[in-house]
Amino acid sequence: MTSYLAALAATCGLLLPALSLAQTPVIAHGAVAPEAAKPAVAAPEAAHEKLSPSMRPLSPPVPVYHPPRRLPQQAVHYAKPAAKRQQHAAPARQPAMAPSLRAAAALGKRLLPPAAHAGKSPRLTVLACADGAPRHGAQGALYLVQNPGNQLLLGEAGVSHAVRQLRTPLLLVLASADCKAVNTARGDFSALPLAEQATLLSINVDKGGTPLSAQLDNLDNQVEAAVLLYGGEVEAGRLSVIGAYYDAAGQLGKRGQLVVTSINGERDKATIARLLRQRAVFNAATGIGTPLAGAGH
C-alpha cells in the first residue's frame, strides 16, 4: 500500500509541471509579450437610454455622415460667368398710322408749326370714328380719341382732357366714308343689340340720304357741338375746332386728301380757303380770324 501511494505521488509530480508549461504562452524570439488580459468593462449606457421611457426617442439616433472639409488648395475655384454685353432692345414699333390720321397730322403741322407753339406735343386733338377697338391717347404730335361715329357725346371725356388739361390748340373732327356707324345709322338697326342701338341713336342723320351726305351731316353736327361746348376757348383764341373729311375715294374731287369743311362753325368755302391760307384759324367763329402770331400760341 505504501508503495502504491508513493508511485501515485511521483506520477502527479511529473504531470503538474507539464500542465503548467501547457498553460504558459510560447513567445517567439524577438516578440513582445502581450499585456495581461484586462477585465472586461461594461459598455457605457447610451444617452437616450438614460432618459425616462416617456422621453426616449422612437429609435436610436442615426449617425450623420459629414464629408471631409476640403483644404483651400483642394477647393474648386468659382468661375464667374462672362459679363453679357448690354444689348439695347429695339423700341417697340408703333402700328402704322391710317392715311386719314397722317393727313390730319400734316394739317396740324401746317396750321401750327412747332416753332409757333414752343415745340409742345401733342398740338392737335383728333376725334375720329372707330369701327374696331377704340384707341385713345397721344399718337406723336396728335392726341387721338376714337368712338363709333366720331361723336363728341361718346368721347367728351378724352377730348376735354386734351383741350382743357393738355391745352391742345387744335381740335379736328375727322370723318370718312369708312365710318360704318354712320352708314348703319342711315338704315333700320332695330335688330342690333340694345347697347349698339343706344350708340347709334345719338347719330342724327337723314335716313333717306346718301352715304356721303350722312357723313358730312354728322361731321357738321359734331363740330357744332364742340364749338358750343368749348365756346370760351374758341372765342378767347385758345382753340380752333376744325371739321374735315378724308376723301379716300375722290367723292369730293380731292382723292386721298383731307378736305376742310368748317372752321369753328364757319362753312363758307371762300372764307375757309382764306383762313387756311393765312393760317388764321383761331377765333374764326366771330369773323375776326386772329392770325397765328397774335393768337398767343
Side-chain angles (χ1 to χ4, degrees), residues 24-249:
T24 303
V26 179
I27 302 176
H29 179 73
V32 180
E35 296 181 358
K38 296 181 180 180
V41 180
E45 188 178 6
H48 68 278
E49 294 180 356
K50 296 180 180 180
L51 301 175
S52 61
S54 60
M55 300 185 63
R56 292 181 183 179
L58 297 179
S59 60
V62 179
V64 180
Y65 172 74
H66 296 281
R69 182 173 299 177
R70 292 182 177 180
L71 299 177
Q73 60 271 19
Q74 297 176 341
V76 179
H77 295 284
Y78 173 72
K80 295 184 179 180
K84 297 182 179 179
R85 295 182 180 179
Q86 296 182 354
Q87 297 179 355
H88 299 283
R93 181 176 298 179
Q94 297 292 336
M97 187 176 293
S100 58
L101 295 179
R102 290 201 301 268
L107 176 63
K109 185 177 181 179
R110 181 164 64 92
L111 295 179
L112 194 65
H117 198 53
K120 181 178 176 57
S121 183
R123 302 182 299 272
L124 172 67
T125 301
V126 178
L127 176 60
C129 180
D131 295 322
R135 292 188 298 171
H136 300 278
Q139 306 285 327
L142 59 87
Y143 189 93
L144 179 62
V145 179
Q146 287 183 297
N147 61 64
N150 47 273
Q151 302 181 65
L152 181 64
L153 179 63
L154 301 181
E156 180 179 349
V159 174
S160 295
H161 171 73
V163 171
R164 291 175 172 167
Q165 300 298 325
L166 302 180
R167 296 187 180 276
T168 56
L170 296 175
L171 170 58
L172 178 67
V173 183
L174 179 61
S176 65
D178 298 332
C179 184
K180 297 179 181 178
V182 176
N183 293 332
T184 305
R186 295 173 48 249
D188 182 16
F189 50 84
S190 58
L192 296 178
L194 294 179
E196 295 186 21
Q197 292 187 38
T199 300
L200 298 176
L201 284 173
S202 53
I203 300 178
N204 185 17
V205 294
D206 187 3
K207 296 290 184 180
T210 63
L212 178 60
S213 64
Q215 298 288 351
L216 294 178
D217 289 344
N218 178 65
L219 177 60
D220 292 338
N221 294 338
Q222 304 306 324
V223 171
E224 181 180 355
V227 171
L228 292 175
L229 181 61
Y230 306 111
E233 288 85 350
V234 172
E235 293 186 3
R238 296 193 302 270
L239 176 68
S240 178
V241 181
I242 301 174
Y245 179 84
Y246 182 70
D247 194 11

